[in-house]
Amino acid sequence: AIGLTQLNKLNDIIEKKKIILETYKKLLKNVDGMIIMEPEELSNHIPFRVAIKFDRKVQGIMKYLSKNNIETRTFFYPIHKQPCYKDCNCINDVCNDFPNSKYVYEHGLCMPSYPELEIKQIEYVCEHIRKILNVNETEALIIDNDLDPYMQTR
């Protein structure tokens, strides 16, 4: 029943998510040290998440945003790091280290983007992204030196 009700709201949800993405893009347009991940040209993209790839590891950024009541999540955990693959010979082989998978996981964060998010809340998030990117990477890591980079746990 909940799913059917949501389907009735789907067009409104899609439109709100597009506005949210465009707002992030506008507010972070000239910010160095990050890029908002964009869909391929001519794709029929529905912004499921606002995904930002940073030029540094995101541990300190994530901690700083959390301390400012901004909940983020990392990009998807690399599948080859899942516990069920720890003994797989093909994964342990050096040639299958999957550096791109590890890189985007360690450098990517998804920003708040639920349909009810207000413009002033996005402005708040973007203000804090700009602030943390003005801190050098060493200082950002000091902010968050107690999180496991893969599991985000203490």
Side-chain angles (χ1 to χ4, degrees):
I2 293 173
L4 292 175
T5 302
Q6 289 296 89
L7 276 177
N8 291 332
K9 300 177 184 179
L10 184 59
N11 289 334
D12 289 337
I13 292 170
I14 292 170
E15 189 57 34
K16 288 177 182 178
K17 298 282 269 179
K18 287 180 178 180
I19 290 169
I20 289 167
L21 176 61
E22 289 305 313
T23 303
Y24 274 105
K25 286 168 50 177
K26 176 183 163 195
L27 293 173
L28 296 172
K29 183 177 182 179
N30 295 316
V31 175
D32 291 331
M34 51 133 295
I35 59 167
I36 295 177
M37 305 302 288
E38 300 260 13
E40 289 292 320
E41 227 19 73
L42 303 174
S43 67
N44 185 16
H45 178 253
I46 298 171
F48 169 60
R49 296 188 174 166
V50 174
I52 299 178
K53 186 174 62 138
F54 294 91
D55 65 357
R56 62 175 88 162
K57 291 184 178 182
V58 295
Q59 296 163 295
I61 296 168
M62 190 174 198
K63 179 77 170 208
Y64 171 81
L65 294 174
S66 178
K67 285 183 177 182
N68 286 281
N69 299 312
I70 300 167
E71 186 175 330
T72 60
R73 60 184 304 161
T74 58
F75 284 9
F76 291 106
Y77 187 69
I79 197 160
H80 70 287
K81 293 288 187 180
Q82 298 287 339
C84 62
Y85 291 107
K86 72 177 183 165
D87 296 324
C88 180
N89 289 333
C90 64
I91 298 298
N92 293 329
D93 190 15
V94 174
C95 67
N96 291 318
D97 194 30
F98 306 101
N100 292 337
S101 178
K102 288 193 291 191
Y103 181 88
V104 294
Y105 176 75
E106 293 172 347
H107 291 79
L109 281 181
C110 296
M111 297 297 121
S113 63
Y114 55 93
E116 293 78 24
L117 195 64
E118 297 177 16
I119 299 297
K120 66 182 180 182
Q121 293 170 305
I122 300 170
E123 290 170 343
Y124 178 80
V125 172
C126 292
E127 173 188 336
H128 285 285
I129 290 171
R130 286 190 297 274
K131 281 182 182 178
I132 191 63
L133 289 179
N134 283 325
V135 173
N136 72 42
E137 189 168 1
T138 303
E139 291 171 323
L141 285 173
I142 290 169
I143 291 170
D144 182 24
N145 61 3
D146 60 345
L147 291 182
D148 177 315
Y150 288 103
M151 299 306 286
Q152 299 298 316
T153 58
R154 293 184 189 340

